[in-house]
């Protein structure tokens, strides 16, 4: 396939996703990088990632911290979260993401509310207060509202797959894992006023090129101001891995991860696109390659080391923590001290 043959409809996207020609893939990444710089500029925005807890009420079939896996569970104390957020401020990251397993207990909900207020009052010197993104799964609308009122302004909730059939192949088929409920949560977030980000995994068992094309078209239809998607990385003890179902090689999943970023940049030129952690796990220069393929956000992991090693969604042994200095040069400008809201959202 040639770049001149690329169209951004379902058939064109699926053909581009299925095409494994290295020259085509490289040309696509270059074009997406050019479009990124021309549209949102050369800056990369930083989100300090704080993994607050690996306790989760859900049982997603691909996830290494699912409820039924036996692993050491942890929860950061309020003081630990605050200390980590202060590190983000002192390193001028501009914003943080609080991510964790899905929990609905009142004590946890209140803790997040208190933390939001405290984080917003951290002194950042000359910069605006830290921006806060939450990624804590599906919650009742009132909880989303409470957290929004306490200062959260972005929320990440991946759809995981926009195809309901595939969704139910990678999740238990019960009321706790309802596709419709998830979709509703995304629309609730948007209505409340959050910048609601979503995304899906790339290169999963049972996933076709058409499914991935549909994921991209779903982002467009949902009009997402930000997207975080990344390659599927099998975890040895999860049901999805244990079924023995085939999935693309690590090399293909990495190439697909970059290609999906590039296609999305062409489809939605002015949104924020994250180079996900899962890319970094597959290639030590994964996030840099993501940025050079059209991404403009990275999430350096600032979770204290002792707990970070327990947040094993998948094998992350190769993860290189939070240094960002190696990204300067290569035309990438680091957006220190900025919230980095997407241009797309500001336009609305
Ligand atoms: N491979 C890649 N991503 C995964 N996630 C969970 N398990 C895996 C895995 N095995 C992702 C999900 C979830 C996010 C927190 O981590 O997409 O939304
Ligand atoms: Fe829980 Fe998220 Fe893992 Fe699902 S993917 S089991 S919701 S941490």
């Amino acid at each position: 396939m040639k770049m001149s043959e690329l169209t951004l409809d379902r058939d064109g996207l699926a053909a581009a996703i299925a095409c494994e020609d290295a020259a085509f893939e490289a040309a696509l990444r270059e074009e997406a990088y050019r479009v990124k710089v021309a549209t949102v500029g050369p800056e990369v925005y930083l989100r300090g990632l704080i993994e607050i807890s690996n306790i989760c009420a859900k049982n997603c079939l691909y996830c290494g911290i699912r409820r039924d896996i036996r692993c050491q569970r942890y929860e950061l104390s309020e003081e630990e979260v605050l200390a980590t957020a202060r590190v983000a401020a002192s390193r001028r990251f501009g914003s943080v993401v609080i991510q964790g397993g899905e929990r609905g207990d009142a004590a946890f909900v209140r803790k997040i509310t208190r933390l939001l207020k405290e984080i917003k009052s951290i002194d950042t010197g000359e910069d605006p207060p830290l921006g806060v993104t939450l990624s804590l799964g599906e919650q009742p609308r009132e909880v989303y509202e409470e957290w929004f009122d306490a200062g959260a302004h972005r929320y990440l909730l991946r759809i995981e797959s926009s195809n309901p059939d595939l969704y139910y192949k990678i999740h238990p088929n019960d009321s706790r894992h309802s596709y419709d409920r998830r979709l509703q949560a995304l629309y609730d977030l948007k209505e409340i006023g959050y910048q609601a980000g979503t995304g899906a995994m790339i290169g999963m068992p049972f996933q076709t090129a058409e499914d991935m094309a549909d994921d991209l078209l779903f982002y467009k239809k949902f009009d997402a101001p930000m997207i975080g998607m990344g390659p599927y990385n099998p975890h040895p003890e999860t049901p999805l891995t244990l079924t023995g179902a085939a999935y693309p090689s690590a090399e293909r999943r990495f190439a697909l991860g970059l290609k999906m970023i590039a296609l999305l940049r062409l489809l939605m030129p002015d949104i924020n696109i994250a180079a996900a952690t899962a890319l970094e796990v597959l290639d030590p220069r994964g996030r840099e390659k993501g940025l050079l393929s059209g991404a403009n956000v990275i999430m350096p992991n600032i979770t204290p080391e002792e707990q970070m090693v327990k947040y094993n969604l998948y094998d992350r042994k190769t993860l290189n923590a939070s240094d960002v200095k190696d990204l300067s040069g290569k035309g990438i400008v680091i957006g220190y001290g900025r919230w980095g809201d997407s241009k797309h959202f500001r336009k609305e």
Side-chain angles (χ1 to χ4, degrees):
M1 185 166 172
K2 296 200 174 55
M3 274 304 282
S4 56
E5 295 161 1
L6 176 67
T7 56
L8 299 178
D9 52 6
R10 184 175 195 249
D11 289 346
L13 292 168
I17 290 163
C19 174
E20 297 188 10
D21 179 69
F24 168 70
E25 291 187 330
L28 176 60
R29 293 194 298 262
E30 266 170 47
E31 173 63 7
Y33 180 70
R34 193 191 63 72
V35 169
K36 170 183 90 160
V37 174
T39 315
V40 296
E43 278 189 319
V44 53
Y45 300 115
L46 309 173
R47 322 266 183 247
L49 178 62
I50 308 174
E51 293 162 336
I52 188 168
S53 166
N54 68 351
I55 300 170
C56 187
K58 274 201 164 159
N59 232 345
C60 307
L61 301 178
Y62 45 83
C63 177
I65 62 171
R66 62 197 299 270
R67 191 184 65 213
D68 288 354
I69 268 196
R70 287 181 58 161
C71 62
Q72 217 186 338
R73 304 284 172 173
Y74 75 86
E75 178 177 345
L76 298 184
S77 68
E78 258 170 80
E79 197 33 61
E80 283 171 317
V81 175
L82 275 177
T84 311
R86 282 190 213 103
V87 170
S90 70
R91 294 176 64 182
R92 305 196 58 228
F93 277 4
S95 73
V96 293
V97 179
I98 301 180
Q99 183 167 83
E102 194 170 297
R103 290 176 55 177
D105 53 290
F108 186 73
V109 171
R110 296 296 107 69
K111 173 173 166 173
I112 298 297
T113 305
R114 283 194 302 276
L115 273 170
L116 283 163
K117 293 177 181 157
E118 285 165 323
I119 292 173
K120 296 309 278 189
S121 64
I122 291 175
D123 182 6
T124 54
E126 306 265 295
D127 295 331
L130 282 172
V132 187
T133 306
L134 296 178
S135 180
L136 299 167
E138 290 163 37
Q139 301 287 344
R141 193 181 167 114
E142 307 78 67
V143 171
Y144 286 154
E145 279 166 353
E146 178 176 323
W147 289 344
F148 187 75
D149 293 341
H153 73 137
R154 299 190 280 236
Y155 203 103
L156 288 173
L157 184 68
R158 287 184 172 180
I159 190 74
E160 311 295 0
S161 169
S162 63
N163 172 352
D165 291 334
L166 179 54
Y167 190 89
Y168 286 116
K169 286 192 178 122
I170 61 170
H171 296 98
N173 203 336
D174 62 26
S175 58
R176 204 183 260 289
H177 300 82
S178 150
Y179 177 87
D180 292 335
R181 169 85 191 75
R182 194 158 195 91
L183 206 54
Q184 184 57 50
L186 276 170
Y187 281 99
D188 283 346
L189 288 164
K190 195 180 206 176
E191 264 178 43
I192 293 167
Y194 283 95
Q195 294 175 49
T198 188
M201 284 178 288
I202 299 165
M204 286 183 280
F206 316 117
Q207 191 181 32
T208 65
E210 284 73 22
D211 289 329
M212 291 184 246
D214 285 338
D215 288 342
L216 296 173
L217 295 170
F218 171 82
Y219 308 148
K220 177 104 179 162
K221 178 166 173 244
F222 182 66
D223 198 24
M226 56 187 188
I227 293 293
M229 52 183 175
Y232 165 68
N233 286 322
H235 180 291
E237 290 162 54
T238 57
L240 192 60
T241 304
L242 294 170
T243 58
Y247 51 84
S249 69
E251 197 187 342
R252 270 328 293 161
R253 278 180 283 122
F254 184 71
L256 276 170
L258 297 182
K259 184 150 60 178
M260 289 289 281
I261 289 175
L263 288 170
L264 182 61
R265 179 58 70 195
L266 300 184
L267 195 63
M268 303 183 76
D270 62 357
I271 66 168
N272 277 346
I273 305 177
T277 309
L279 278 177
E280 247 178 287
V281 171
L282 289 169
D283 181 317
R285 286 177 53 213
R287 26 177 219 190
E288 176 189 319
K289 291 178 184 174
L291 295 172
L292 297 175
S293 304
N296 68 327
V297 169
I298 55 170
M299 295 161 57
N301 198 326
I302 52 174
T303 309
E305 181 93 26
E306 185 197 343
Q307 285 93 0
M308 193 196 295
V309 295
K310 296 181 190 154
Y311 201 80
N312 279 322
L313 301 167
Y314 43 82
D315 182 358
R316 312 195 293 180
K317 279 200 265 304
T318 54
L319 203 62
N320 71 355
S322 66
D323 203 13
V324 295
K325 289 193 283 296
D326 60 320
L327 291 172
S328 316
K330 304 190 179 67
I332 298 166
V333 179
I334 301 187
Y336 283 113
R338 308 266 307 272
W339 282 13
D341 285 334
S342 93
K343 260 191 166 173
H344 187 79
F345 189 79
R346 292 198 304 255
K347 225 163 50 186
E348 279 160 15

